[in-house]
Amino acid sequence: MADPAPSEGRRRTLKTLLGTGATALGAAIVYPIVAYLKPPEVTGEQVTSVLVGKVEDFAPGSGTLFRFGNKPGILLRFPNGSFKAFTATCTHLDCTVQYREDMGLIWCACHNGKYDLNGKNIEGPPPRPLDPFEVVVKGDEVHVTQT
Amino acid sequence: MKSIRTALSGWVEERVDLSGVKEFIQHKSVPKNRHSVWYYFGGVTLFLFIVQVISGILLLFYYRPGADTAFESIRFLMTKVQFGWLMRSVHSWSANLMVLAAAVHMFSVYLTKAYRKPREVTWVSGMLLFFLSLAFGFSGYLLPWNELAFFATKVGTDIAGSVPLVGEPIMQLLRGGPDVGGATLSRFFGFHVALFPAIFTVLLTIHLLLVQKQGMSSPIGAAEHGEEKSMPFFPNFVLRDLLLWLIVLNILAILAVFFPWELGVKADPFAPAPAGILPEWYFLFMFQILKLLPAHIWFIEGEVFGILFFGVAGLLWVLVPFWDRASQRGQNNRLITYLGIFVIVFILFFTILGWVM
Amino acid sequence: MKKLLPLLTALVMFILLPQFGAHAQTEDQCISCHASMDDKPSAAFRSDVHRSAGLSCADCHGGDRRSDDMEIAMNKNKGFVGVPKGNAIAETCGKCHDDEERMRKAGFKGETGQLKALRASAHSFGTKATDALIMQCTNCHGAHGVRRHDDPESPVSPLRVVGLCSSCHSNPDYMRRFNPALATDQLAKYRTSVHGMKNGAGDTRVATCADCHTGHSIRPAEETTSSVNAFNIPTTCGRCHSDADRMKPYGIPTTQLAEYKSSVHGKALLEKHDASAPSCNDCHGNHGAAPPNVESISNVCGTCHALNAELFRQSRHKVEFDRMGKPECETCHGNHGVQPATQAMFSFDRDGVCGKCHGPDRAPVGYKTALKMRSMLDSLVGTIAMAERRIDEAEQKGMEVDDIRFALRDANQARLQSRTAVHAFNLEEFSKVLDPGLRIATTSLSDANAANEEYVYRRVGLAVVTLIITLTIVLLFFFIRHIEKKQAAV
């Protein structure tokens, strides 16, 4: 018990430092949690079903490309108003296919592969038909789901 | 600063009489002996449990159960949500560390015979908590709905199903149907976030209250060896606890960042089982033994024999305070020590064997 | 001694021969009786291979050949069956021809099991013995004047078999009864083919119907067991066309099959089992098989590679190649051994094809264009490969790369389309396809790099947090020591 002053001073310094450390630590824990709770921007990660758009967005006799997860899809609307959808990945070498109004079929620009409007490969190099999706019209919304 | 604190405590004390609690904490002490280091593992387990609760609740904000959504939601969490990868990694690592810490805690209590009178209920509640932790691990493993988890669950529930008489209904109950599928996922989710936490909370409260009430157990014969030193529970022991918690937190952070938990590929019930299906490491020794057992032992199936053996052994282990008479009388029971060491070596051996094979 | 030998032979013959004749006469009364009636079957049977093998009428028709009494010889109790009808015809032949052991004992070295094969063929309604056959053995081979298939008189001999098959297969009315969808123009096409023209000129070594379709195991081309199924055609054609001895008189190479097997088409068909890949007949025709000639190559290749052919036909190369008499696609890509096209084709070393005509000194404009296209392709392919590597790296580290991968698809598509665009041999057209791809690939690469940097950021974040925790631990340690020192002092 010679001199309590330096001990008291050390205690205060230690306490201050410890308080700073604890605060920093708290921040290091709270920051990720707050960032975590912030809802991220959704970029179509839901891959079992995709909302492609409103019925009136698609003219009869047209084909529209959409994103289904990390793959492209193609939505066809027929003159009678009905829909059909397929993966838009050519079964030959994975190029993205497109709807050709002039030919009345699905066409791949890479090697002139052709599919009919049921997705069946009818000409050119594609070895298999396009995989179909299921189109569900809920009210005026067009949803595409995996079959 | 100080005045605010006194004002606040005064405000509380006017309404709730905390003097008893204060008194208790001030006078509580922890025995100091060569086994004192083991006292900290219960605290570490508790800390990891708290981490589990927090990270688990946070994961719930993004997790969506269901065979169509579970895997996708976890992938979304890991790739799109800020620090989502960290949260999942922390939850997985902390779960494993918690099982490890609980196991160390349990074996240390066993070997120091701290379960003896008057702490029988503490031991039994602790054992139940331990089994519940394993159940947490088993049910949580399936929730990401990836291939590995799917098949591990299939194998795990199959083993449960091979128990005679009750096995089949238990398996159906666990799976929510004849096979592992979307129904199983829903059930396991229910177990993991509702049923188990509820039971766990009750048991944990009993366990902690008893520990506080009865204090830490001194090893048998510590008094005779003149080892009956002690340290104040507050602040000495609490601060040491805190120090260790920080060290564990540090380890957890490093593991979570350097060894992020992989998500793997989505479970496909119709895909063939991939090679190298392993259960979580804490089930590995049982899995390995069941694999090594011959097809028939006497008149019963090898697997059934193994399960019955584990059941009986586990029950005896839980009931050790009631049949270990020597320790109750304060005698050093060597047999119990050797049995414990044998069990540890046995488990380690088969865990390693399962790992390398 | 030498003079004695013929003498001795004559002596032996003198003793033995009459006995042979007598034996035959007493044994086979069918022939002698029927011959006296001057009927056609017995006349035809005189030259039948079966007669020279020692068979008699009764071996097929039953009855007793030794009796000259009609009542006894053609008695049903003696097993006489008369003229076999329907499947009984084939079964009669099959009794011997499906019995390999019996055929070998009789000294026959050729094919056996024909009835079995016929039952499994397109000329049968099924494979069971009770199923009716569309064709009986006698429809092709005749009944009583059966000859070896290489006997020019045989209806199945190389020069006559074409007429035999087409007697049904060129008759639309008849064929409609069995398969209305089947073409009936095979003979007409065949006569335009090299095989058919040579066959028409009397060459017995060229392919006829049976060489490709087999004699008895004829199956529709859609079936995988058929010798003319797309997957089996290379082997079927190669059986003759890889045979150096057989091709010698015609002076044509025999390396086509080996080259084809190593080609992008051959690998696609035979290794990847891609049924859309061309087999021999897809370029050469089947019944009208002939080499496509110089001007029609781009049409033949263009049936599948339509865009390439279209661009090529509008290009300057078309004009120049025609002028120089160079075969279009083949000049750069080869024919049977066509390899996957890569940017290496643009180089001016051994692998390159542009260097065949272009160089710094000759046709230098093309030389410069080729060099430029090569460098553009190199940078696109290189950037894509680099981006893919960096994406994989980032993915390994658990980073989100789906979006980057999705974007990179378009770069890959541009790479594929640029391979088509090359055929315009026009730098401007080429850039229109390739440049957007390069831009996408560059963006993907920088995104992938960013993802990898994010990973570093995590590590740095961890380092900071670990440092904070460690410092707090140290401070706490000193704090505890400080408190306990004070307690000890008290």
Side-chain angles (χ1 to χ4, degrees):
Chain A
M1 259 309 159
D3 187 10
S7 167
E8 201 53 45
R10 252 181 83 186
R11 184 189 167 95
R12 209 174 305 132
T13 325
L14 263 175
K15 265 193 151 176
T16 317
L17 281 172
L18 208 54
T20 320
T23 313
L25 183 59
I29 292 170
V30 169
Y31 170 68
I33 293 179
V34 171
Y36 173 86
L37 290 175
K38 208 182 99 195
E41 284 169 42
V42 179
T43 52
E45 178 65 20
Q46 311 318 326
V47 286
T48 48
S49 181
V50 158
L51 169 63
V52 188
K54 294 239 164 73
V55 170
E56 62 262 26
D57 297 343
F58 309 103
S62 73
T64 316
L65 287 173
F66 61 92
R67 187 173 167 177
F68 194 88
N70 54 4
K71 286 194 271 308
I74 186 164
L75 178 74
L76 304 177
R77 186 159 192 211
F78 294 94
N80 68 5
S82 65
F83 287 98
K84 252 181 198 163
F86 304 95
T87 55
T89 306
C90 182
T91 53
H92 178 223
L93 286 172
D94 287 353
C95 288
T96 302
V97 298
Q98 52 186 280
Y99 174 70
R100 284 283 295 259
E101 207 176 346
D102 52 340
M103 300 178 182
L105 38 76
I106 303 170
W107 179 73
C108 177
C110 287
H111 300 99
N112 200 37
K114 289 172 187 169
Y115 303 85
D116 67 13
L117 298 182
N118 291 314
K120 189 177 183 297
N121 49 326
I122 48 170
E123 214 186 296
R128 284 186 297 108
L130 297 170
D131 295 326
F133 287 127
E134 202 171 322
V135 184
V136 180
V137 181
K138 292 179 193 157
D140 64 342
E141 288 180 341
V142 183
H143 295 263
V144 171
T145 60
Q146 207 123 45
T147 47
Chain B
M1 186 73 188
K2 207 157 201 173
S3 59
I4 297 173
R5 212 191 298 162
T6 40
L8 206 67
S9 66
W11 190 88
V12 173
E13 247 164 275
E14 275 171 30
R15 282 151 185 88
V16 188
D17 182 19
L18 287 176
S19 58
V21 179
K22 262 190 184 168
E23 186 87 346
F24 176 76
I25 290 174
Q26 266 166 17
H27 288 96
K28 187 180 155 123
S29 69
V30 178
K32 237 170 131 179
N33 53 57
R34 60 199 168 95
H35 296 301
S36 281
V37 60
W38 302 113
Y39 293 154
Y40 295 99
F41 276 89
V44 168
T45 313
L46 178 64
F47 169 69
L48 288 167
F49 178 69
I50 294 167
V51 173
Q52 282 306 86
V53 171
I54 295 170
S55 59
I57 289 172
L58 287 170
L59 286 176
L60 260 181
F61 289 169
Y62 288 103
Y63 180 72
R64 287 182 305 169
D68 295 336
T69 50
F71 183 84
E72 283 77 11
S73 69
I74 297 281
R75 193 169 60 189
F76 177 77
L77 173 102
M78 286 181 72
T79 54
K80 292 284 192 305
V81 178
Q82 287 191 66
F83 295 104
W85 59 275
L86 182 69
M87 222 48 86
R88 174 161 182 259
S89 221
V90 163
H91 194 71
S92 306
W93 271 115
S94 162
N96 283 281
L97 293 180
M98 179 179 151
V99 171
L100 187 67
V104 172
H105 178 50
M106 184 259 284
F107 279 112
S108 69
V109 168
Y110 176 89
L111 288 174
T112 53
K113 285 92 178 176
Y115 51 74
R116 67 190 189 277
K117 194 182 166 190
R119 297 186 174 81
E120 296 99 324
V121 179
T122 321
W123 165 261
V124 172
S125 65
M127 278 313 295
L128 293 179
L129 284 169
F130 182 67
F131 289 142
L132 211 50
S133 304
L134 298 184
F136 261 120
F138 185 67
S139 57
Y141 196 49
L142 179 69
L143 298 188
W145 199 243
N146 58 23
E147 200 179 43
L148 224 61
F150 178 82
F151 285 103
T153 305
K154 222 176 156 96
V155 173
T157 46
D158 258 340
I159 289 172
S162 61
V163 176
L165 293 173
V166 289
E168 193 65 31
I170 287 179
M171 188 179 84
Q172 292 262 350
L173 189 79
L174 286 175
R175 289 182 174 179
D179 250 312
V180 178
T184 320
L185 184 61
S186 297
R187 284 193 176 211
F188 275 40
F189 179 65
F191 292 147
H192 193 80
V193 306
L195 182 65
F196 293 165
I199 303 172
F200 202 95
T201 311
V202 174
L203 287 172
L204 185 64
T205 313
I206 295 170
H207 192 74
L208 289 178
L209 278 177
L210 285 172
V211 168
Q212 291 307 319
K213 197 76 196 149
Q214 297 166 334
M216 303 292 192
S217 152
S218 291
I220 293 172
E224 286 112 85
H225 287 93
E227 267 193 299
E228 200 62 332
K229 284 189 221 151
S230 70
M231 74 162 108
F233 175 71
F234 188 86
N236 302 43
F237 188 78
V238 170
L239 283 178
R240 273 159 212 260
D241 244 354
L242 198 64
L243 185 88
L244 194 59
W245 289 15
L246 286 178
I247 292 172
V248 172
L249 182 66
N250 221 351
I251 293 170
L252 190 60
I254 291 168
L255 286 174
V257 172
F258 275 90
F259 306 98
W261 218 261
E262 273 182 32
L263 182 55
V265 285
K266 188 176 173 173
D268 176 4
F270 303 109
I277 287 292
L278 283 182
E280 295 262 65
W281 58 269
Y282 37 85
F283 294 121
L284 200 55
F285 76 98
M286 283 194 270
F287 181 72
Q288 186 59 30
I289 289 168
L290 291 180
K291 226 164 59 175
L292 291 177
L293 282 178
H296 283 279
I297 297 170
W298 301 322
F299 55 92
I300 43 175
E301 262 181 70
E303 198 169 69
V304 175
F305 176 84
I307 293 161
L308 290 177
F309 170 76
F310 285 128
V312 171
L315 194 66
L316 284 176
W317 191 262
V318 173
L319 296 178
V320 68
F322 305 103
W323 54 264
D324 176 17
R325 296 271 164 216
S327 298
Q328 300 290 31
R329 289 192 298 269
Q331 289 163 355
N332 202 355
N333 193 342
R334 288 273 166 88
L335 183 73
I336 292 286
T337 310
Y338 293 145
L339 182 68
I341 290 168
F342 170 75
V343 168
I344 293 171
V345 171
F346 179 83
I347 289 175
L348 280 179
F349 175 76
F350 281 103
T351 303
I352 293 166
L353 198 67
W355 197 253
V356 292
M357 268 173 79
Chain C
M1 191 64 195
K2 266 193 178 166
K3 274 185 187 165
L4 260 172
L5 197 68
L7 207 70
L8 209 69
T9 316
L11 190 71
V12 172
M13 293 289 270
F14 181 74
I15 298 162
L16 288 177
L17 214 56
Q19 273 179 342
F20 257 104
H23 179 80
Q25 242 163 26
T26 51
E27 284 282 306
D28 200 342
Q29 295 298 331
C30 310
I31 282 281
S32 46
C33 190
H34 277 271
S36 68
M37 288 159 62
D38 208 18
D39 72 351
K40 276 184 183 167
S42 66
F45 191 64
R46 281 178 201 288
S47 56
D48 195 297
V49 278
H50 297 112
R51 179 170 160 83
S52 44
L55 264 67
S56 140
C57 309
D59 286 304
C60 296
H61 296 285
D64 188 350
R65 73 177 78 171
R66 282 163 304 187
S67 170
D68 54 1
D69 182 343
M70 250 171 65
E71 293 297 320
I72 300 167
M74 290 161 66
N75 193 318
K76 288 207 170 130
N77 294 330
K78 296 259 182 191
F80 182 70
V81 293
V83 181
K85 291 257 169 10
N87 275 13
I89 300 172
E91 276 151 23
T92 306
C93 303
K95 231 171 21 190
C96 298
H97 281 276
D98 267 8
D99 186 344
E100 190 181 348
E101 205 181 328
R102 186 167 179 173
M103 294 299 286
R104 297 286 175 256
K105 255 189 206 154
F108 183 74
K109 293 185 186 69
E111 177 193 349
T112 61
Q114 292 95 330
L115 176 57
K116 226 173 126 205
L118 183 67
R119 282 215 165 99
S121 80
H123 286 141
S124 161
F125 285 119
T127 53
K128 288 202 292 283
T130 49
D131 288 327
L133 294 166
I134 299 172
M135 302 278 291
Q136 301 296 337
C137 311
T138 48
N139 289 114
C140 294
H141 295 278
H144 297 98
V146 179
R147 292 158 189 271
R148 289 176 51 88
H149 66 87
D150 48 5
D151 184 331
E153 292 286 302
S154 165
V156 295
S157 70
L159 295 184
R160 297 181 63 186
V161 72
V162 181
L164 175 73
C165 297
S166 61
S167 65
C168 295
H169 279 273
S170 295
N171 182 345
D173 250 356
Y174 180 76
M175 289 308 293
R176 194 159 40 229
R177 284 155 53 186
F178 301 98
N179 184 351
L182 201 66
T184 51
D185 58 353
Q186 297 95 333
L187 177 66
K189 281 184 173 168
Y190 179 71
R191 287 297 174 211
T192 67
S193 76
V194 174
H195 294 147
M197 286 192 280
K198 289 210 185 291
N199 176 277
D203 186 340
T204 57
R205 296 164 55 89
V206 292
T208 63
C209 314
D211 288 300
C212 300
H213 292 281
T214 75
H216 300 98
S217 312
I218 300 164
R219 304 289 314 149
E222 312 79 84
E223 291 180 17
T224 49
T225 52
S226 168
S227 59
V228 292
N229 180 267
F231 295 107
N232 301 329
I233 279 208
T235 320
T236 301
C237 298
R239 216 159 38 89
C240 298
H241 282 277
S242 300
D243 182 343
D245 283 341
R246 190 157 186 148
M247 289 299 134
K248 211 172 187 178
Y250 308 106
I252 58 172
T254 51
T255 52
Q256 300 95 328
L257 180 60
E259 283 175 18
Y260 174 75
K261 279 182 177 166
S262 74
S263 77
V264 63
H265 293 144
K267 282 184 177 155
L269 182 74
L270 302 173
E271 289 172 21
K272 295 182 195 153
H273 300 284
D274 178 351
S276 67
S279 197
C280 312
N281 60 323
D282 289 298
C283 297
H284 294 284
N286 30 33
H287 299 105
N293 57 31
V294 174
E295 298 93 74
S296 73
I297 284 184
S298 73
N299 294 341
V300 170
C301 301
T303 54
C304 295
H305 301 276
L307 296 176
N308 308 32
E310 200 183 314
L311 289 173
F312 179 83
R313 280 196 283 268
Q314 291 157 7
S315 77
R316 196 168 159 206
H317 274 151
K318 164 78 178 160
V319 182
E320 291 298 317
F321 280 20
D322 283 355
R323 191 177 58 77
M324 294 189 285
K326 284 191 178 291
E328 304 177 319
C329 314
E330 192 190 333
T331 306
C332 298
H333 293 282
N335 44 25
H336 301 105
V338 57
Q339 293 300 313
T342 65
Q343 64 265 39
M345 291 179 77
F346 287 95
S347 58
F348 287 86
D349 55 18
R350 209 166 44 83
D351 297 330
V353 292
C354 304
K356 285 182 184 171
C357 300
H358 297 280
D361 315 317
R362 40 192 192 123
V365 179
Y367 172 73
K368 278 181 204 148
T369 308
L371 282 182
K372 180 79 183 116
M373 283 183 174
R374 170 72 199 256
S375 82
M376 286 165 78
L377 265 173
D378 277 345
S379 63
L380 177 62
V381 171
T383 313
I384 290 175
M386 176 74 94
E388 271 169 357
R389 212 164 39 239
R390 300 292 286 159
I391 290 171
D392 286 346
E393 271 175 43
E395 192 172 42
Q396 284 289 312
K397 294 169 183 167
M399 307 302 299
E400 154 64 16
V401 288
D402 269 7
D403 284 351
I404 315 176
R405 260 198 220 292
F406 187 75
L408 197 62
R409 284 173 45 91
D410 288 338
N412 257 316
Q413 177 155 348
R415 180 178 64 83
L416 284 172
Q417 280 179 303
S418 74
R419 299 208 301 213
T420 300
V422 160
H423 295 89
F425 305 104
N426 178 320
L427 201 55
E428 202 183 315
E429 294 296 318
F430 187 67
S431 309
K432 264 191 220 162
V433 174
L434 192 130
D435 286 348
L438 188 59
R439 273 199 298 279
I440 295 163
T442 315
T443 317
S444 299
L445 179 59
S446 64
D447 287 352
N449 283 333
N452 279 291
E453 277 155 24
E454 159 73 14
Y455 179 71
V456 177
Y457 162 76
R458 286 182 184 182
R459 295 283 165 105
V460 173
L462 173 75
V464 172
V465 172
T466 313
L467 194 71
I468 293 173
I469 299 176
T470 311
L471 277 176
T472 317
I473 290 169
V474 172
L475 286 169
L476 196 58
F477 175 76
F478 282 116
F479 187 65
I480 293 171
R481 231 178 55 170
H482 178 80
I483 288 175
E484 292 190 346
K485 250 191 198 160
K486 248 181 77 177
Q487 283 170 344
V490 171

